[in-house]
Amino acid sequence: MSTRSTPPRPKRSRTRLESARHHPLLRWLDAKFIHRPRIYILQSLMAGLALIGILAAESAITNGAVVAAIASSVAIVFFVPHSVASKPFRIVGGPLSGIAAALCTVGVMMLLPDAVVANQWVIHTLQGASLALVILFMTITNTEHAPAAGTALGLATSVPGNSVIFIISAAIIISIVRIVLYKRLHNLM
């Protein structure tokens, strides 16, 4: 047997990228962002432009929770475009489940006397029921899409037709954008 020892390797100096990654003020940055910032910046800008386009094309003034749900769907498509959550079937099916859940709670609300409906606890209970129903509907239909919870919450006490049209058309537009840009988008996670 030979007792030859291998010479110690010289210490490798850190590259500029490694130095930046280990800098105390930059540790919170994602390593992939440091390596490929252009992709992150471009996809973020495209997400903002997509939402602006949807809101401008729709020109419908709707509930803030509904707009937040649509913005969340856009964020998912541009944040993790290759995940299950951003599949077109879920992007459209989730909000449809939210609308169905809201229609159920509005139906219950219409059966209640006006004095009961004026109580805030009843409103909160209906909103909670709407959330429970949308989760049930999405899991039954395999259209789980978290932003649809915002849709159900925003429409829990009234379902105006313009909001329904806004939600469905926005979901279709988001799906089309995802299909068109699918090969060019990268998961940012």
Side-chain angles (χ1 to χ4, degrees):
M1 280 203 175
S2 170
T3 57
R4 258 183 4 187
S5 64
T6 58
R9 290 185 181 173
K11 282 191 174 182
R12 195 180 92 189
S13 63
R14 286 186 181 172
T15 65
R16 214 169 126 200
L17 176 64
E18 289 172 338
S19 296
R21 193 177 302 149
H22 297 290
H23 190 278
L25 297 176
L26 298 178
R27 265 190 216 154
W28 53 271
L29 287 178
D30 187 353
K32 288 191 289 184
F33 173 74
I34 293 171
H35 185 65
R36 299 171 19 183
R38 190 175 134 229
I39 291 171
Y40 281 69
I41 293 168
L42 284 175
Q43 277 187 221
S44 299
L45 290 173
M46 285 192 301
L49 290 173
L51 183 61
I52 290 169
I54 289 168
L55 294 175
E58 300 292 328
S59 70
I61 309 245
T62 188
N63 186 319
V66 171
V67 172
I70 295 300
S72 297
S73 293
V74 171
I76 286 175
V77 165
F78 284 93
F79 186 60
V80 282
H82 300 281
S83 76
V84 174
S86 66
K87 288 189 175 183
F89 181 70
R90 291 175 188 244
I91 292 170
V92 175
L96 287 175
S97 297
I99 292 168
L103 286 171
C104 291
T105 57
V106 168
V108 168
M109 192 171 91
M110 292 174 75
L111 297 174
L112 298 173
D114 289 340
V116 174
V117 173
N119 186 336
Q120 282 297 317
W121 283 102
V122 173
I123 300 294
H124 296 321
T125 303
L126 288 171
Q127 289 170 333
S130 183
L131 177 65
L133 285 172
V134 74
I135 291 171
L136 177 66
F137 293 165
M138 285 190 300
T139 54
I140 289 171
T141 60
N142 199 25
T143 57
E144 296 90 348
H145 188 66
T151 302
L153 183 65
L155 300 177
T157 56
S158 73
V159 184
N162 66 338
S163 290
V164 171
I165 292 169
F166 171 75
I167 292 163
I168 294 170
S169 60
I172 291 170
I173 292 169
I174 294 167
S175 296
I176 291 169
V177 166
R178 190 237 185 207
I179 290 167
V180 170
L181 297 176
Y182 183 75
K183 290 184 179 178
R184 297 178 197 261
L185 297 175
H186 302 270
N187 280 346
L188 300 180
M189 241 172 83

